[in-house]
Each structure stands twice: as structure tokens, then as C-alpha cells.
Amino acid sequence: MKKIRTLGFLILGVSFLFSCTEETPKRPNILFIMADDHAYQAISAYDNTLIETPNIDRIANDGMLFTNACVTNSICAPSRAVILTGKHSHLNGKIDNNFPFDTTQMTFPQLLQANGYQTAMFGKLHFGNNPKGFDEFKILPGQGRYYNPEFITKKEGKKTITGYVTDLITDMTINWLKTEREEDKPFFMAYLHKAPHREWLPAERHYTDFTKRTFKEPETLFDDYSGRGSAAHEAEMNLLKHMNWAGDSKIYPDVMDQLGIPETAGWDKGAFAREVGAMNEEQRAAWDAVYGPMNEQFIKDYPTMSQQDKMKWRYQRYMQDYLGSIASVDEGVGKVLDYLEESGLAENTIVIYTSDQGFYLGEHGWFDKRFIYNESFKTPLLVKWPGVIKAGSRNTQMVQNLDFAQTILAAAGVEAPADMQGENLIPLFRGETENFRDAVYYHYYEYPAVHMVKRHYGIVTEDFKLVHFYYDVDEWELYDRKNDPKELRNVYNDPEYAEVVKKLKADLSDLRIKYKDSEELDQHFIDKYKEKGLISRGGE
């Protein structure tokens, strides 16, 4: 009898042990997908006016769509540095595309790797050739090329791979998941697209379709910036005046010469040579078959085109190539999501889709980014996490790319360093929205430089946006985000908003202190900029 009781207790103990083991949650895999300059207006989960992105939309359909996600500094390399470190630009050192990244900074992939995650990065990093914290990487040098790009690899040195960059990055990602993933470890995968960054070359399969499309013009395409300060008036981002004819609009250099069209910038024809010139004979023949006739028609039309006609033509050319580039990104995302589902990985994988910043798609007559204004400042953010995020959820709160490091570390069960400045978004994933921040801080530095967007910092809430432009001016702007969503009227000096200005100025001062920014740091970076001779209007 005693032996039977002992055996019974033993069985109960083993059963309890197994039940505990089964209930212990596995640490989630994390797939971080980021495109470059992908405007939220060009994702159909946000707005299907311009394009359908059914695969990116799957993430929102199965998870959460953030409608007020934004960046701390709307420019490529600084945004990526903020994401990796969880710190504002003035602390991680990467204030613009010229200043060096402080490589002593701890990044969240290093912490994941140190805590048992297998890590990989494929695609565009944009700064640094040896990213820390990755077991495997293949990254583009700098901006990289659309066709037959060179990759910097961890194990094979530099190598040029024939093909289209978006497809190559997707294939690398799936191949790693299939053949190099260690099944006994959770993984962090950074799947980073070059597209749709300038100069917007679609894959061959999308040439014909997109070059035949006509897209709806934004209401503010011919904005005259009345009611706003000098910053909007002086920015050099106008589609007609500042976009390159060869590099951007794909007018052949010899056609420019034939029509007497001067280069818009010093790298205009050079960008065309770099991108289109990288194609092999077969690829170039396919390109010329579509873009050659377009150039021939342009030769006929150009002499009689008005300035308004040219602006409209350039908008359509821009959208055709920009959106055509996104079509391949969406297809690639679909292939990776399909593999996660087919392999059974999807159930325990967090999928994040975002961009390094927003982008102007002709709004206010502009392309590019840099401003705190909505199209530049806001960025797509779609997240799915089975069992945690309710399918089809939406969130309107002020979240930033500053928050990604904190959130990913929390999801992985890794303690974040005390000097990270972001917020953990997991409570928002669960629908717990109480006591979350009500305002975010923004600071842009790269001026005077390409596009001539003045230095500025500001505070943004769901209702208002207060901005201070400085360096060569001292101007303030206030926008009522609910009543003026296109940000056409600066109400800073409107007496009806006097109390709003007073409160937001105090809150902005508090945020500057909280995030350890100051007038002294502003001047420090201006002085360093001058010392390094970076006051320049050249480059991209």
C-alpha cells in the first residue's frame, strides 16, 4: 500500500512538472520589417487612394494599426540610430546623415543576442558596415542600388548579386529562416528594405502596369504656403523645381540635352548613371522598352507644356515609380508572412511593419521628408502578436520609433538599460491605454543642407503641434491637428489659442529637460557642424 501511495505521488509530481513546463510561455520570435521612406498614405490599411498593399495590410488585419505613430527626427540614418538605441539623436550622436554614430552605444540587438536570441539582419542599415549584435547580416553599403546591388556580408566579404534589391532581400530573409535558424532558440530578424527610397526604380514586372496608371493629385499640390512661416517657403522639396529630371523622373540625360533642360542638382545625371547604369544588358533592354517610349512622348510634349502641366506630369512620374517600388515590397512581405504560417512560426512571432520616417507624396507640392509636418513626421506602424494583440485593433496614441527598443526587449523578457528613453508599447497592444504619454518630442538638425529644411524642434499631442524653428530664424508655429489636419494655418499668434501656446511651451520645456536636450546642445551641434565643414547643399 505504501509503495502504491509513493508511486501515485511520483506520478502526480511528474504530471505537475509537465503541466508547468507546458504553461511556461516560449519567448516570442520577432520579425522587424522596415521600409525606407514608406509613407503611411501609400499603405491601403491607412488609405487606399493610391495603392493596394494587401500583404502589409494582413499585419493590421491580424493585429493593431497605429494612427499616430511618428519619429523623433525625420531622416534616414538618425531614425535608424534612434530605433537601435532607444535614445534621441542628441544622445546617440547620429543627429543627421553626416554625423557619426556613437558605436559605444548599446543597441537592443546586442542585448537580445546576449540573452539567447539568434539574430540576423538583411537589407539597408544605412550607417556602419559591421552592425553589432547580429549572428548573420548582409547589408547594403550606404543607400545601395536597386539593380544588381553590392552587399556587405558578415561571412563572405563584399559581393555583388544579380537581381532586384527588394526580391534579393526577401529571398535572403526566407532562406535564413529555412536553413540557418536554430529551432531551439527564439530569433530576431531585421528585414530592411531599400525601397521605396529615392530614386524609385520598380521591379521589371511592375514597369508596364504602373507607368500606365494615373494617380489622384493631392489637394495641396499647388500650395503657396500662405499662413505659414519662412521654413515652408524656403524648403527646396518642390516636385517641379527641385526633383531631378534624370535621376528621379527618368528623363534620359541625352533627352535633357536635346530639350535644353539643365540638371536640377549636381548629382542629377549621376544618379541616373548609378542606378540605371547598374543594369545588365537584359535588364536595360526591358527598362528601355518601357521608359524609352515615355521619353519619346516627353520630347513631343515638353515644348508646349505650361508650368502647371510640368508639375502635374512630374507628380504622375513620381507616383508611378514610387508606388511601383512599393508593389515589390508588399509582395515580399507576403512571401515572408506565408512562410511563417506554413512553417508554424507565425503563432509565436511578433511581426512589426514600419518605415524609418514618413514621406511627402506631392502634398504641399513636396517630395522628401525632414519636417515635423504630418506627412514627414507620421510613419506607418502595424503590429501583430497572436494571443496578445486583438485582430483588427486600432490605436490613436502618440507612439514613436523611440519606443521600439524598449518594447522589443520587454517582449523578449530582457531588461532595458536605464538610459533608454522610450516607452514599452505592450500595454497598448493589450488595449491598456491609461497613463501613457500624451505628447512626443521631435528635433531636426540637418541645415543648411540639401532640401534646406530649417532646424527645428517641437512637441506634438493628438490635438496640437507646437514648433520652434531656430538657427537663422526664431519662429514659432502652432497647428490645430483636429481642425486643420492638412496643417495649412499657423495659429500661433491667434488670441483664441493663447492658452494652448502657453501650456504647450511649458510642456515642451519639460520634455527638453526629460530627454536631456537644451539650447547648449543645440549650439554645440551647430558649432560641430561648422567645424566639420558640413554646411553644404550638395549630396542626397
Side-chain angles (χ1 to χ4, degrees):
M1 188 70 181
K2 185 176 180 181
K3 287 182 180 179
I4 293 173
R5 282 201 301 268
T6 302
L7 182 60
F9 283 127
L10 188 60
I11 292 170
L12 283 172
V14 171
S15 300
F16 177 75
L17 181 64
F18 273 101
S19 66
C20 286
T21 303
E22 289 171 1
E23 291 174 7
T24 302
K26 291 171 62 178
R27 292 192 291 172
N29 305 308
I30 302 158
L31 173 63
F32 181 77
I33 312 171
M34 185 163 70
D36 193 310
D37 292 343
H38 192 172
Y40 66 90
Q41 314 94 286
I43 293 177
S44 48
Y46 287 94
D47 185 347
N48 66 356
T49 302
L50 293 173
I51 191 173
E52 294 289 341
T53 52
N55 294 298
I56 297 171
D57 292 358
R58 285 164 60 184
I59 302 170
N61 295 338
D62 294 339
M64 180 173 285
L65 180 79
F66 288 84
T67 61
N68 263 318
C70 60
V71 294
T72 64
N73 182 0
S74 184
I75 188 168
C76 294
S79 176
R80 293 158 192 269
V82 168
I83 289 169
L84 287 171
T85 63
K87 298 177 188 177
H88 276 275
S89 301
H90 59 275
L91 294 186
N92 67 47
K94 192 68 179 163
I95 62 166
D96 60 24
N97 282 341
N98 294 303
F99 264 69
F101 174 63
D102 179 359
T103 57
T104 66
Q105 297 283 319
M106 179 61 67
T107 65
F108 78 82
Q110 289 175 267
L111 294 168
L112 291 178
Q113 187 185 51
N115 283 273
Y117 269 74
Q118 188 183 11
T119 57
M121 174 189 285
F122 299 110
K124 182 180 176 183
L125 175 60
H126 195 185
F127 67 90
N129 294 338
N130 187 21
K132 293 182 178 179
F134 289 95
D135 299 309
E136 173 65 307
F137 63 78
K138 291 184 176 72
I139 58 173
L140 299 164
Q143 300 288 3
R145 294 191 303 263
Y146 273 99
Y147 280 85
N148 308 325
E150 181 181 61
F151 284 89
I152 299 166
T153 73
K154 183 166 186 174
K155 300 171 184 175
E156 305 168 89
K158 290 184 178 180
K159 57 187 301 185
T160 298
I161 305 178
T162 300
Y164 183 65
V165 67
T166 303
D167 299 339
L168 295 174
I169 293 167
T170 298
D171 291 344
M172 290 173 183
T173 299
I174 294 174
N175 180 67
W176 186 89
L177 290 170
K178 284 183 176 180
T179 66
E180 296 188 48
R181 182 178 60 86
E182 298 177 33
E183 294 187 8
D184 61 339
K185 285 185 177 182
F187 67 80
F188 171 76
M189 165 62 73
Y191 170 40
L192 311 177
H193 284 293
K194 169 186 170 60
H197 191 278
R198 195 179 185 184
E199 281 75 18
W200 315 300
L201 273 70
E204 180 185 331
R205 60 188 177 274
H206 297 302
Y207 293 166
T208 302
D209 177 19
F210 278 84
T211 55
K212 288 181 178 178
R213 294 191 191 185
T214 299
F215 297 94
K216 183 180 178 182
E217 295 173 0
E219 293 178 19
T220 57
L221 182 62
F222 293 96
D223 195 348
D224 64 3
Y225 316 116
S226 59
R228 278 149 292 171
S230 65
H233 286 268
E234 295 178 22
E236 297 179 357
M237 304 193 302
N238 184 269
L239 291 173
L240 177 57
K241 297 177 183 177
H242 305 120
M243 184 174 276
N244 288 331
W245 284 96
D248 295 331
S249 294
K250 313 306 188 302
I251 296 302
Y252 292 179
D254 63 318
V255 172
M256 290 175 61
D257 295 340
Q258 179 181 340
L259 296 173
I261 300 174
E263 288 190 271
T264 303
W267 68 91
D268 189 344
K269 293 179 181 178
F272 184 93
R274 182 184 67 241
E275 289 289 349
V276 180
M279 296 178 177
N280 60 33
E281 287 186 18
E282 182 180 353
Q283 293 164 340
R284 183 60 191 265
W287 170 272
D288 286 334
V290 175
Y291 286 81
M294 181 268 289
N295 271 262
E296 291 168 8
Q297 186 63 46
F298 182 75
I299 292 170
K300 296 175 183 177
D301 295 341
Y302 182 78
T304 60
M305 292 170 72
S306 67
Q307 292 296 95
Q308 185 179 60
D309 291 337
K310 291 173 186 174
M311 181 69 157
K312 289 172 171 285
W313 183 89
R314 299 205 79 176
Y315 170 74
Q316 295 300 331
R317 272 281 53 247
Y318 173 32
M319 288 298 92
Q320 288 164 359
D321 289 346
Y322 177 91
L323 297 169
S325 301
I326 288 172
S328 297
V329 174
D330 187 68
E331 290 168 349
V333 168
K335 289 178 181 178
V336 175
L337 293 179
D338 286 346
Y339 177 73
L340 292 179
E341 291 172 4
E342 292 161 6
S343 63
L345 290 169
E347 293 180 9
N348 192 41
T349 298
I350 302 170
V351 179
I352 301 167
Y353 187 92
T354 190
S355 174
D356 50 355
Q357 61 263 319
F359 214 67
Y360 290 103
L361 304 185
E363 299 90 357
H364 309 292
W366 287 337
F367 68 106
D368 206 71
K369 57 255 183 180
R370 300 165 197 268
F371 272 118
I372 196 173
Y373 304 143
N374 264 356
E375 291 82 8
S376 166
F377 166 76
K378 286 178 63 174
T379 192
L381 179 60
L382 305 84
V383 185
K384 84 179 188 81
W385 187 357
V388 175
I389 298 176
K390 182 181 177 182
S393 304
R394 292 175 74 89
N395 180 280
T396 65
Q397 287 168 291
M398 302 303 302
V399 304
Q400 277 190 306
N401 57 350
L402 183 71
D403 304 326
F404 295 166
Q406 301 276 96
T407 303
I408 289 170
L409 289 174
V414 177
E415 185 175 355
D419 61 350
M420 282 189 174
Q421 297 179 307
E423 302 288 340
N424 176 7
L425 302 181
I426 293 177
L428 301 188
F429 294 167
R430 296 190 172 114
E432 300 164 7
T433 58
E434 296 294 322
N435 301 316
F436 192 73
R437 72 155 77 92
D438 58 9
V440 294
Y441 179 63
Y442 180 90
H443 199 152
Y444 175 79
Y445 299 85
E446 194 172 285
Y447 175 89
V450 64
H451 296 304
M452 296 300 284
V453 172
K454 293 183 184 295
R455 294 174 185 242
H456 59 289
Y457 58 83
I459 180 174
V460 185
T461 70
E462 289 189 45
D463 295 325
F464 296 102
K465 181 177 295 182
L466 179 70
V467 194
H468 182 215
F469 292 93
Y470 68 98
Y471 178 68
D472 61 341
V473 294
D474 181 10
E475 296 178 359
W476 290 84
E477 295 180 1
L478 175 69
Y479 294 96
D480 185 328
R481 300 185 71 208
K482 293 294 176 67
N483 294 312
D484 180 22
K486 291 184 174 60
E487 299 174 324
L488 297 175
R489 181 170 171 253
N490 173 18
V491 293
Y492 178 77
N493 291 315
D494 187 330
E496 291 186 14
Y497 289 87
E499 288 302 311
V500 173
V501 169
K502 181 179 178 181
K503 181 180 186 308
L504 287 179
K505 276 195 169 183
D507 292 345
L508 176 58
S509 178
D510 290 344
L511 281 185
R512 297 257 286 173
I513 293 169
K514 174 182 177 179
Y515 292 123
K516 301 178 182 178
D517 203 2
S518 64
E519 290 185 7
E520 290 76 19
L521 267 178
D522 297 345
Q523 189 59 50
H524 165 77
F525 286 120
I526 290 170
D527 292 342
K528 287 291 184 183
Y529 216 70
K530 292 177 179 177
E531 285 175 20
K532 292 177 178 289
L534 293 175
I535 304 298
S536 168
R537 293 172 67 175
E540 286 186 71

